[in-house]
Amino acid sequence: MKNKFNYKPLLTALCLGLAALISAPAFADNPFQLDGNAISNEVGHPAGDDWDVVNTTGGNSEGRTGLVIDRPEPTQSIFTGGGAKDQMDITAWKWRTGTPPSKDDLTHAYAAAYVQDNNDFILVFGMDRYDTSGDAQLGFWFLKDEIQPVTGGTFSGKHQDGDVLVLVNFSNGGSVPTINVFQWQGGQVNAVGTGGAVKCTNGYIPAGQNFCGITNAIAVKAPWTYENKDVGLTDMFPPGAFFEGAINLTALLPNDSPCFTNFLAESRSSTSITATLKDFATPVTGFNVCKISVTKSCTQPTLNTAEDKIIYNIAGQVTNSGFGTVYNVALSDSPAADGAFQQVDCADPTINLGSFPLTSLANGETACYKNTMTVPLAQNGTKDTVTATANTADAGAGVALTD
């Protein structure tokens, strides 16, 4: 984050804090509407965000993809036939240009993350499709590496232990999809629990269940422009065109970190885990659930007249502003600070708690720091940047975070 320092008479300085701490939102037990449509605030429907809100302002979500548009098909658009399966590592996936079969054609996809009042971590996800005839088999990957199609027909990134796959299968006219959850561990996908057909009830995951799904049994309003095979561009989802679901990740995988950085929705050839993958949609901006933020201020600059230098006292906070513990939290300064950044007591900065980097920082936790920076008087007004870095996994095995 950048701060411009100006030394002036009476040793005053102008320090602009350019980053605000992000506090976790609080919401009711049902933070999201899983009611078979994408519109919020409808009479007789539950409270909470819906896709029209999440895909525009973000609502109360901890992270979201926004509306991922997949029709018309982008250049990097569909899986190569037989060239990608869910049990394969992403390094082996292949893509090509083209258009998938109508019933496998995704038009949009979307996902978001929420934290309930009891601190359970909830993933919600959905899609709408071009053709509602026939059965549909869908998959939703929540990924810890940065995955994107790249030149040459391959994908960047690879699977990380802890990637989560939600398979959704539903029949033409059916409104209760069958859901199965898998996790990537040790180079393969492993089933999490037994799965089943669980319909979202009263707009949320039913009591005693850890997941649910629902399609629109009747035509419902589309909050974005939607293209249907039979009617063309329309503002209505015909029955079976829209799907949404959710999983309680804390309940399903209580010991895992939910530090996802990307999301990919897919259509599939069958219900089997070995099915050939068809269409895909992934956000260019990722799906960043884990985040850090840093602030900075400067106070009480002093002038070293003997050496024509100014010494600035710099201080601030680094906060884990996402969900999940982050590791190896480090600070750097440009121009370089005078020494190592010191962690101090936020209530009493005279109490030194040790040096950065920190081993870990839990979600919502803040660490305060201090340091000094000395610059020649001739460089008065130099822009100074403090950068915070961390990793989503211990020993640097996860995804790097920066602010």
Side-chain angles (χ1 to χ4, degrees):
M1 310 310 292
K2 294 182 178 179
N3 295 70
K4 187 171 182 179
F5 300 150
N6 289 291
Y7 178 78
K8 295 182 178 181
L10 301 180
L11 299 180
T12 61
L14 175 64
C15 298
L16 303 176
L18 299 184
L21 292 178
I22 304 172
S23 58
F27 21 58
D29 279 341
N30 296 4
F32 194 84
Q33 300 178 23
L34 296 163
D35 52 2
N37 69 66
I39 304 294
S40 59
N41 299 322
E42 290 190 310
V43 176
H45 287 252
D49 291 344
D50 214 327
W51 296 112
D52 59 336
V53 173
V54 176
N55 289 338
T56 52
T57 67
N60 288 313
S61 63
E62 291 280 342
R64 75 261 185 202
T65 62
L67 184 68
V68 183
I69 300 172
D70 197 56
R71 188 172 179 88
E73 291 291 335
T75 301
Q76 300 164 324
S77 54
I78 64 175
F79 289 109
T80 300
K85 296 185 177 183
D86 283 322
Q87 82 273 24
M88 298 164 56
D89 199 346
I90 293 165
T91 55
W93 286 4
K94 306 292 184 184
W95 66 266
R96 65 177 178 86
T97 58
T99 303
S102 295
K103 77 179 189 69
D104 299 321
D105 195 353
L106 307 178
T107 49
H108 302 93
Y110 18 89
Y114 288 85
V115 180
Q116 294 184 154
D117 284 348
N118 64 359
N119 214 38
D120 279 5
F121 186 79
I122 308 297
L123 290 171
V124 296
F125 44 90
M127 65 90 222
D128 43 85
R129 57 179 181 144
Y130 177 61
D131 183 6
T132 59
S133 63
D135 297 347
Q137 291 80 40
L138 306 170
F140 299 90
W141 273 108
F142 295 90
L143 302 158
K144 297 192 174 185
D145 205 352
E146 297 176 358
I147 308 302
Q148 290 293 331
V150 295
T151 302
T154 59
F155 287 78
S156 65
K158 62 182 181 179
H159 274 308
Q160 303 278 348
D161 283 351
D163 287 354
V164 170
L165 170 65
V166 183
L167 294 187
V168 178
N169 304 300
F170 58 95
S171 301
N172 185 30
S175 60
V176 187
T178 299
I179 295 177
N180 290 275
V181 180
F182 297 82
Q183 185 183 48
W184 186 273
Q185 285 286 348
Q188 63 183 10
V189 286
N190 301 285
V192 178
T194 57
V198 180
K199 185 177 181 179
C200 302
T201 304
N202 296 323
Y204 207 56
I205 302 173
Q209 301 290 342
N210 298 323
F211 55 80
C212 72
I214 189 170
T215 61
N216 59 313
I218 60 173
V220 295
K221 180 76 173 176
W224 45 79
T225 301
Y226 160 74
E227 184 178 3
N228 178 263
K229 179 183 178 181
D230 296 324
V231 301
L233 295 177
T234 177
D235 63 353
M236 297 293 292
F237 292 130
F242 169 79
F243 164 80
E244 61 182 344
I247 62 172
N248 183 327
L249 198 68
T250 302
L252 287 168
L253 296 164
N255 298 317
D256 277 37
S257 169
C259 279
F260 302 110
T261 62
N262 214 337
F263 164 81
L264 182 141
E266 63 189 29
S267 57
R268 315 172 75 253
S269 64
S270 72
T271 62
S272 170
I273 189 63
T274 62
T276 298
L277 306 184
K278 300 289 189 175
D279 197 10
F280 68 87
T282 188
V284 175
T285 55
F287 178 57
N288 297 308
V289 174
C290 290
K291 315 177 189 73
I292 55 172
S293 58
V294 64
T295 65
K296 180 180 178 180
S297 65
C298 62
T299 58
Q300 299 175 335
T302 58
L303 177 62
N304 183 334
T305 55
E307 298 182 10
D308 284 337
K309 293 181 179 181
I310 307 170
I311 303 171
Y312 293 99
N313 293 306
I314 56 178
Q317 299 177 328
V318 58
T319 298
N320 180 347
S321 49
F323 192 89
T325 299
V326 297
Y327 301 88
N328 193 31
V329 181
L331 295 171
S332 62
D333 200 25
S334 179
D338 294 334
F341 282 86
Q342 300 297 309
Q343 184 186 5
V344 296
D345 188 301
C346 292
D348 184 356
T350 64
I351 300 176
N352 196 318
L353 301 178
S355 300
F356 280 79
L358 306 181
T359 303
S360 63
L361 197 63
N363 66 296
E365 193 173 35
T366 292
C368 295
Y369 70 85
K370 69 178 181 180
N371 210 331
T372 60
M373 181 186 71
T374 302
V375 298
L377 184 59
Q379 294 180 13
N380 179 37
T382 296
K383 288 185 178 179
D384 178 67
T385 302
V386 167
T387 301
T389 60
N391 199 279
T392 60
D394 198 5
V399 174
L401 305 173
T402 302
D403 185 47

